Amino acid sequence: MCIVNGENIADGAGITPKLAERLLADGADVVTLGNHTYRRDGIGNYLASSTRVIRPANAGALTPGRGLAVVEARNGVKVAVLNVLGSLFLDTPVSPWEIVDELVDEARAQAPVVIVDFHAEATSEKIAMARWLDGRVTAVIGTHTHVQTNDARVQPGGTAAITDAGMTGPHDSVIGVEAELAIRRMRTRLPVRFSPAEGDVRLEGVVIDCSDDGRAHGIELLRVPA
Ligand SMILES: [Fe+2]
């Protein structure tokens, strides 16, 4: 099965219902989001009724959507997908540590395979969460920082992990943004409208191999040039 983090698919910021539907039609089984979930009009209502497009579970009780999806893999095994926001250097309504244990229990009651998209800024927090959940979920996949890290591993308890799965998008850029615009904003501190770059498009992610009981056996980096 295929999980896509789609939080920046709408020109580099947010997602629209139409683009979410397109990802699902193109083969994504579940779409996860992140700190840019609500950037686009109309996405709140869509998330309120979607079972396959999920937003961080700790996005707060007042925001529409859910943080857990349960789907069937091609071989019929149930797979639960969780989306959780980190709290370091991000404006996160509820600490991930406060909700993650109950959330994992809820997921495990419904599916043997549990995949966590931990959308977080700090490498330390992503590694800590992967360690905390070792043996309880199939994989903890870091997203948000856009740069694929060289630490894909299966931990002793059988949970695969990586600090960041990388970015599918233009790599001739500053994490997707036209480099000149990103640098101008950093240098001058003046407002600069960002637009997505175009060069060196790559697909990045990870492939996780697990058994039907949810234990991970392998995790491989995926990096495909356009
Ligand atoms: Fe993000």
Side-chain angles (χ1 to χ4, degrees), residues 116-176:
V116 181
D117 172 353
F118 189 42
H119 196 82
E121 182 75 38
T123 51
S124 57
E125 193 178 25
K126 295 200 245 193
I127 292 169
M129 185 60 78
R131 287 289 293 261
W132 177 242
L133 297 180
D134 187 22
R136 290 192 278 160
V137 302
T138 306
V140 179
I141 307 301
T143 57
H144 175 72
T145 40
H146 296 69
V147 179
Q148 192 177 66
T149 53
N150 195 18
D151 63 342
R153 66 219 179 262
V154 178
Q155 302 177 116
T159 297
I162 186 168
T163 297
D164 203 280
M167 173 180 74
T168 293
H171 282 251
D172 180 8
S173 68
V174 174
I175 61 168

Side-chain angles (χ1 to χ4, degrees), residues 10 31 53-54 61 92 114 145 150 162 172 187:
V31 176
V53 182
I54 58 175
T92 301
V114 179
T145 40
N150 195 18
I162 186 168
D172 180 8
R187 288 188 73 226

Side-chain angles (χ1 to χ4, degrees), residues 46-97:
Y46 178 83
L47 291 178
S49 62
S50 178
T51 55
R52 286 176 178 259
V53 182
I54 58 175
R55 49 79 161 153
N58 51 338
L62 304 179
T63 49
R66 66 200 80 196
L68 163 66
V70 181
V71 296
E72 256 184 32
R74 304 290 179 272
N75 64 353
V77 172
K78 287 244 167 69
V79 179
V81 181
L82 300 174
N83 195 189
V84 179
L85 259 185
S87 54
L88 288 178
F89 315 119
L90 280 173
D91 182 18
T92 301
V94 179
S95 163
W97 306 99

Side-chain angles (χ1 to χ4, degrees), residues 165-219:
M167 173 180 74
T168 293
H171 282 251
D172 180 8
S173 68
V174 174
I175 61 168
V177 174
E178 262 185 51
E180 191 270 321
L181 302 176
I183 293 166
R184 197 194 312 162
R185 189 197 278 185
M186 286 178 201
R187 288 188 73 226
T188 65
R189 295 179 170 242
L190 292 169
V192 175
R193 195 183 189 86
F194 281 176
S195 61
E198 289 182 354
D200 189 17
V201 171
R202 277 183 240 154
L203 183 155
E204 288 187 346
V206 288
V207 178
I208 300 155
D209 176 37
C210 71
S211 43
D212 291 353
D213 65 1
R215 192 180 174 89
H217 298 290
I219 174 168

Side-chain angles (χ1 to χ4, degrees), residues 7-8 34-36 119 144 146:
E7 78 150 349
N8 292 317
N35 53 311
H36 295 309
H119 196 82
H144 175 72
H146 296 69

